[in-house]
Amino acid sequence: MFRNQYDTDVTTWSPAGRLFQVEYAMEAVKQGSAAIGLRSKTHVVLACVNKANSELSSHQRKIFKVDDHIGVAIAGLTADGRVLSRYMRSECINYGYTYESPLPVGRLVVQLADKAQVCTQRSWKRPYGVGLLVAGLDESGAHLYYNCPSGNYFEYQAFAIGSRSQAAKTYLERKFENFTSSSRDDLIKDALFAIRETLQGEKLTSSVCTVSVVGVGEAFNILDQKTVQSLINEFEISGEEAPANESAAEETGGAAADQGGAAAEEEAAPMDI
């Protein structure tokens, strides 16, 4: 993408019918460190990659608890993600105070999408440069939504966003038919395998990823490092050299199809600001 006369503010349409500043915000999501979500009938698992700006600093939090039944994982500008997660918490508290019941996940996602859409139609605002994977459980079951900076939202069985997310998507597309009937531990296992796919040969340890779960009889919680490391050891998820044979064979086709996009994502540094 290059600067042109139609990207000076967010309300200017190009002759091709595009809003470039909205597209730039969506590009910011692609530069952020990877976040992954997958759901079964009873549970939703969120996982993300922890990237620090330097060896001397800690990483930014990428997963936030919104309520006992809702949590979010973000990719893109972390500051924007914090603001939106705080807004979601406020909406959950207000709804609970008024109706004495948990806020339905779908309703919260629509409110969040409406808030993002306003920023695409006001010249004095900018779009939020963050994508959110919203995981939740309500009376209608487990849900996983993706909220885009454009104000669009989609419900998924499994999805990945952020830098090098195409490799994770390839893995999830190969496995998603089994997710509906998967157990909690199986979902966590698949989430860790998908995270490993985004690391491009780097060894997967509990220090480079964060995992959270919400489900029937289990409030949203972020697993501690010790638990995550024990799960990595239990599932024998190595990944320092190359993926498992099955994964390597399947990915050859997927990598060829997305060679251009994957190459661009590899060159871009994750945005952890």
Side-chain angles (χ1 to χ4, degrees), residues 85-138:
S85 65
R86 193 158 56 241
Y87 164 77
M88 295 169 74
R89 279 192 208 107
S90 176
E91 290 301 309
C92 285
I93 291 170
N94 291 340
Y95 187 93
Y97 180 79
T98 305
Y99 300 103
E100 297 183 356
S101 64
L103 176 59
V105 184
R107 181 176 297 187
L108 178 61
V109 167
V110 171
Q111 291 176 264
L112 183 63
D114 289 344
K115 185 176 177 67
Q117 191 278 334
V118 169
C119 295
T120 69
Q121 214 169 359
R122 301 287 186 273
S123 60
W124 61 91
K125 294 186 176 184
R126 68 161 175 82
Y128 291 104
V130 65
L132 295 96
L133 290 176
V134 183
L137 185 77
D138 56 26

Side-chain angles (χ1 to χ4, degrees), residues 150-266:
S150 64
N152 289 324
Y153 64 94
F154 309 91
E155 184 167 13
Y156 285 94
Q157 186 71 42
F159 197 55
I161 57 176
S163 176
R164 304 191 188 106
S165 61
Q166 185 56 50
K169 287 180 190 173
T170 303
Y171 176 85
L172 296 172
E173 286 167 3
R174 191 167 64 247
K175 299 283 188 178
F176 82 95
E177 292 179 353
N178 302 323
F179 291 162
T180 304
S181 56
S182 291
S183 65
R184 174 186 183 274
D185 288 346
D186 286 340
L187 278 183
I188 295 175
K189 179 179 179 180
D190 282 317
L192 289 171
F193 270 108
I195 283 289
R196 189 193 66 181
E197 296 292 318
T198 70
L199 297 179
Q200 299 292 311
E202 183 182 345
K203 186 175 181 182
L204 177 65
T205 63
S206 61
S207 62
V208 299
C209 67
T210 303
V211 181
S212 62
V213 188
V214 62
V216 176
E218 181 177 10
F220 184 87
N221 66 99
I222 299 174
L223 305 183
D224 59 66
Q225 281 196 3
K226 191 182 229 179
T227 303
V228 173
Q229 188 60 53
S230 66
L231 289 168
I232 292 172
N233 297 336
E234 179 185 346
F235 299 144
E236 299 179 349
I237 304 173
S238 53
E240 191 167 3
E241 288 296 327
N245 293 336
E246 177 193 2
S247 177
E250 292 274 352
E251 197 162 312
T252 306
D258 299 287
Q259 190 173 3
E265 288 181 354
E266 279 184 34

